[in-house]
Amino acid sequence: MLKKCIKPKNGDIFNIGIDEDAYSYGQVMDVKYNLYSIYDILSNGNEDLENIKKRKIMFFTRLSDFPFENTNWNIVGNYEIPREIEFNNSKVILEEGVSIDEIVKSSLRDNIHILKGISNISSRELENAVKYEYGFEKSSNDYECIIYPSYKRYKEFNKTIKMSNRERYEYFIKNVVYFGEVWGLYNNGWAI
């Protein structure tokens, strides 16, 4: 059976089935440039739009194919594209009347590299990256490159500060061994 051709609009919120009862969500940021954002959310598929929009954006991507024809992604609603967006650790604030389309065009025209680091991947690779992030897919360097390193550091920091003193100490020693170096702060004595 052929899947019905769905034409998404800017602002459409969609779900991505990553397991039998597990879904993540994204938003169509710009149809013309195939630009999508993926939210840090895993749910049973009954999430309301307000809750989805409150979540941090896990990563942005440009897709090399048309995901609503090749996948089981479903549009669940439409929500205004945020006026403040993080691109690779930089905040872009959209002024009134300025669209994502205009930002993308100006970055391509003026070679500003606002899209630097935004992967151009297939919808299947995107699904696998989201599955990897939530533990449904084996580790792969390809998936690590898709999900922003700054976002990974944010999650690592939050995980680390919740550790007990003993766990933080073990984490510290493992990282010293792994990287083979230690840095310290000194100003009339060591800051530890």
Side-chain angles (χ1 to χ4, degrees), residues 152-184:
K152 299 295 274 180
R153 284 192 298 274
Y154 162 81
K155 285 187 80 167
E156 185 75 13
F157 173 77
N158 283 333
K159 184 175 93 176
T160 305
I161 61 172
K162 293 176 183 171
M163 293 177 178
S164 68
N165 289 343
R166 175 99 179 133
E167 289 170 323
R168 265 196 309 271
Y169 177 73
E170 288 173 5
Y171 177 82
F172 169 75
I173 296 300
K174 285 177 187 174
N175 277 288
V176 167
V177 170
Y178 178 78
F179 290 105
E181 63 185 14
V182 177
W183 288 67

Side-chain angles (χ1 to χ4, degrees), residues 64-124:
S64 58
D65 59 0
F66 192 67
F68 299 97
E69 289 178 357
N70 307 323
T71 65
N72 288 322
W73 299 8
N74 296 301
I75 295 172
V76 296
N78 189 291
Y79 206 93
E80 184 179 340
I81 293 171
R83 303 310 297 167
E84 189 174 295
I85 304 168
E86 270 188 49
F87 279 99
N88 279 344
N89 245 357
S90 303
K91 273 194 181 169
V92 173
I93 299 174
L94 301 178
E95 296 172 16
E96 200 59 44
V98 175
S99 69
I100 289 286
D101 181 56
E102 292 172 87
I103 297 227
V104 173
K105 277 187 215 166
S106 71
S107 70
L108 295 173
R109 182 183 61 243
D110 301 334
N111 202 21
I112 295 174
H113 301 298
I114 199 167
L115 300 177
K116 183 180 176 190
I118 295 179
S119 306
N120 192 7
I121 60 174
S122 73
S123 53
R124 188 66 56 211

Side-chain angles (χ1 to χ4, degrees), residues 17-84:
I18 60 173
D19 199 41
E20 192 173 307
D21 290 319
Y23 296 85
S24 188
Y25 292 85
Q27 184 172 26
V28 178
M29 301 300 281
D30 191 285
V31 173
K32 183 176 178 181
Y33 291 99
N34 248 357
L35 186 63
Y36 297 81
S37 62
I38 306 301
Y39 292 96
D40 185 8
I41 184 170
L42 184 64
S43 84
N44 64 2
N46 295 321
E47 211 62 49
D48 76 8
L49 293 180
E50 287 296 325
N51 190 35
I52 294 167
K53 289 301 297 171
K54 290 178 188 173
R55 299 304 182 107
K56 187 166 178 59
I57 292 174
M58 188 163 35
F59 61 94
F60 287 92
T61 191
R62 294 174 73 189
L63 295 181
S64 58
D65 59 0
F66 192 67
F68 299 97
E69 289 178 357
N70 307 323
T71 65
N72 288 322
W73 299 8
N74 296 301
I75 295 172
V76 296
N78 189 291
Y79 206 93
E80 184 179 340
I81 293 171
R83 303 310 297 167
E84 189 174 295

Side-chain angles (χ1 to χ4, degrees), residues 143-155:
Y143 305 145
E144 288 283 339
C145 293
I146 293 170
I147 300 170
Y148 284 162
S150 60
Y151 182 75
K152 299 295 274 180
R153 284 192 298 274
Y154 162 81
K155 285 187 80 167

